[in-house]
């Protein structure tokens, strides 16, 4: 991992966190303050900030004036992180995965209560759209971004994938269904992040750069899930900051239901190579290629 890449990753995470916190005004209403507190508890818990990095990196790679477009990219990065965090809060609830650890901290419902966590997650999903519509872009760009967010997060995207994921805990899924599940649950939001970066950069629909960005993101999204399945089976809660071994205990269909961990890593490596090749010919995409490699070799 190059020093330039490590610096870019760290600086982006800090910038996105500042952007997130700037979107919460002071309030004297105790109930509103409580909702803000629940939201910020999960938003500021750290994490890899994969999706926000993709937003800002694609904007920087494809914008004709990256500094001018950076405020819009940061606002869209904050929105996608809000939507992602909403999904984590709900995914951890007793009615879903019933997890008590996320990013090395007690999950939201453990700290605040189940009903309160539910409301905090709901609020984040709505605040994500408010955040998109406040981005310093044209009205047309904001509407395009909001529509993309809705499609990626809803029944045709992340939520549809979660439905399939729950089915996979009760019945054996075939490999093609597993691929579709993860293309929806994980992949759609990662592809969205690349798309939002292109929108912030002013890349129009149908542009080859947008198609390259989506192909890259779809491949790293799937590779990310393969590595997640491997780590759930081979790592520890202390390293990952979340519960491990639950997939096997619950009989859930994962990539390791079809292949060994070694073969699964090879499959992820092939997907990563396809992601990197999608950006060949675009000279400002070096950090994005390095990012794909980092995700492949991550240990947590």
């Amino acid at each position: 991992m190059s020093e330039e890449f490590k610096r870019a990753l760290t600086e982006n995470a800090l910038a996105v966190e500042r952007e997130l916190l700037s979107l919460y005004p002071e309030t004297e209403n105790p109930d509103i303050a409580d909702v803000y507190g629940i939201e910020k508890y999960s938003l500021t818990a750290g994490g890899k900030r994969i999706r926000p990095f993709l937003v800002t990196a694609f904007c920087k790679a494809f914008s004709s004036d990256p500094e001018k477009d950076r405020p819009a990219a940061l606002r869209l990065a904050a929105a996608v992180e809000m939507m992602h965090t909403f999904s984590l809060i709900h995914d951890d609830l007793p009615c879903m995965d019933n997890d008590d650890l996320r990013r090395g901290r007690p999950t939201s419902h453990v700290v605040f209560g189940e009903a309160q966590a539910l409301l905090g997650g709901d609020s984040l999903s709505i605040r994500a759209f408010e955040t998109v519509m406040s981005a310093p872009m044209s009205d047309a760009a904001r509407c395009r971004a909001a529509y993309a967010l809705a499609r990626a997060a809803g029944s045709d995207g992340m939520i549809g994938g979660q439905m399939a994921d729950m089915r996979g805990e009760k019945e054996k899924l075939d490999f093609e269904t597993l691929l579709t599940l993860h293309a929806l649950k994980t992949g759609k939001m990662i592809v969205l992040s690349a798309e939002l970066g292109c929108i912030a950069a002013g890349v129009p629909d149908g542009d080859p750069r947008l198609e390259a960005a989506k192909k890259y993101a779809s491949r790293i999204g799937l590779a990310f899930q393969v590595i997640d399945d491997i780590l759930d089976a081979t790592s520890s809660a202390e390293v990952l900051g979340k519960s491990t071994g639950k997939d096997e205990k619950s009989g859930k269909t994962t990539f390791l239901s079809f292949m060994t961990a070694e073969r699964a890593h090879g499959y992820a490596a092939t997907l990563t190579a396809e992601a990197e090749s999608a950006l060949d010919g675009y000279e400002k995409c070096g950090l994005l290629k390095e990012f794909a490699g980092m995700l492949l070799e991550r240990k947590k």
Side-chain angles (χ1 to χ4, degrees):
M1 189 185 299
S2 71
E3 289 302 315
E4 180 188 6
F5 176 73
K6 286 191 285 188
R7 184 171 61 253
L9 206 60
T10 299
E11 289 176 354
N12 188 72
L14 291 172
V16 169
E17 182 137 334
R18 286 194 298 270
E19 185 74 12
L20 286 165
L21 291 176
S22 75
L23 297 169
Y24 287 87
E26 293 293 326
T27 179
E28 296 181 1
N29 184 311
D31 297 313
I32 294 174
D34 284 348
V35 178
Y36 285 179
I38 295 166
E39 293 180 38
K40 289 192 286 186
Y41 175 79
S42 294
L43 276 175
T44 59
K48 292 173 277 295
R49 305 291 195 204
I50 288 169
R51 294 152 191 84
F53 180 82
L54 290 173
V55 178
T56 58
F58 270 108
C59 179
K60 185 174 182 180
F62 290 153
S63 172
S64 60
D65 190 344
E67 284 306 307
K68 178 181 74 67
D69 292 330
R70 182 168 170 76
L74 280 173
R75 188 59 55 92
L76 296 182
V80 81
E81 189 68 2
M82 287 174 175
M83 188 63 79
H84 174 59
T85 302
F86 140 72
S87 75
L88 299 182
I89 293 173
H90 280 206
D91 199 42
D92 290 333
L93 287 170
C95 63
M96 292 282 197
D97 284 354
N98 195 23
D99 273 321
D100 56 10
L101 191 66
R102 172 71 69 176
R103 293 173 172 171
R105 301 169 66 180
T107 49
S108 185
H109 71 270
V110 171
V111 176
F112 301 104
E114 187 175 348
Q116 289 80 0
L118 184 68
L119 287 173
D122 288 344
S123 182
L124 274 173
S125 70
I126 297 165
R127 188 181 299 279
F129 287 98
E130 179 184 351
T131 300
V132 166
M133 298 310 291
S134 69
M137 306 186 297
S138 68
D139 289 344
R142 284 194 290 266
C143 289
R144 184 179 165 204
Y147 180 72
L149 177 60
R151 292 284 294 174
S155 56
D156 294 311
M158 180 176 65
I159 289 176
Q162 179 64 19
M163 287 290 285
D165 192 48
M166 291 190 296
R167 181 160 61 88
E169 295 175 354
K170 298 177 181 178
E171 61 184 77
K172 179 76 171 177
L173 305 179
D174 61 38
F175 190 69
E176 288 304 314
T177 301
L178 184 69
L179 291 177
T180 300
L181 183 168
H182 291 306
L184 295 174
K185 183 181 177 181
T186 304
K188 284 280 189 176
M189 292 297 291
I190 290 179
V191 172
L192 167 74
S193 302
E195 183 176 2
L196 291 180
C198 291
I199 292 172
V203 177
D205 278 328
D207 190 292
R209 292 171 295 174
L210 179 58
E211 298 312 308
K214 287 182 175 181
K215 181 177 179 180
Y216 163 93
S218 70
R219 300 305 190 274
I220 67 164
L222 189 54
F224 180 87
Q225 187 59 54
V226 175
I227 298 301
D228 239 24
D229 286 356
I230 295 171
L231 293 176
D232 181 78
T234 62
S235 191
S236 66
E238 289 74 22
V239 172
L240 292 185
K242 62 180 181 179
S243 303
T244 59
K246 292 189 70 176
D247 292 345
E248 184 177 5
K249 289 175 187 174
S250 66
K252 183 176 179 180
T253 306
T254 72
F255 284 99
L256 298 193
S257 304
F258 300 94
M259 58 188 81
T260 64
E262 183 178 2
R263 280 190 61 205
H265 193 277
Y267 179 49
T270 298
L271 291 166
T272 300
E274 290 175 2
E276 292 170 347
S277 67
L279 300 182
D280 286 347
Y282 298 106
E283 60 183 30
K284 293 196 243 179
C285 290
L287 290 181
L288 282 158
K289 290 187 176 184
E290 194 166 352
F291 186 65
M294 181 273 289
L295 293 181
L296 174 66
E297 300 303 334
R298 67 190 175 92
K299 303 301 179 186
K300 60 181 181 178

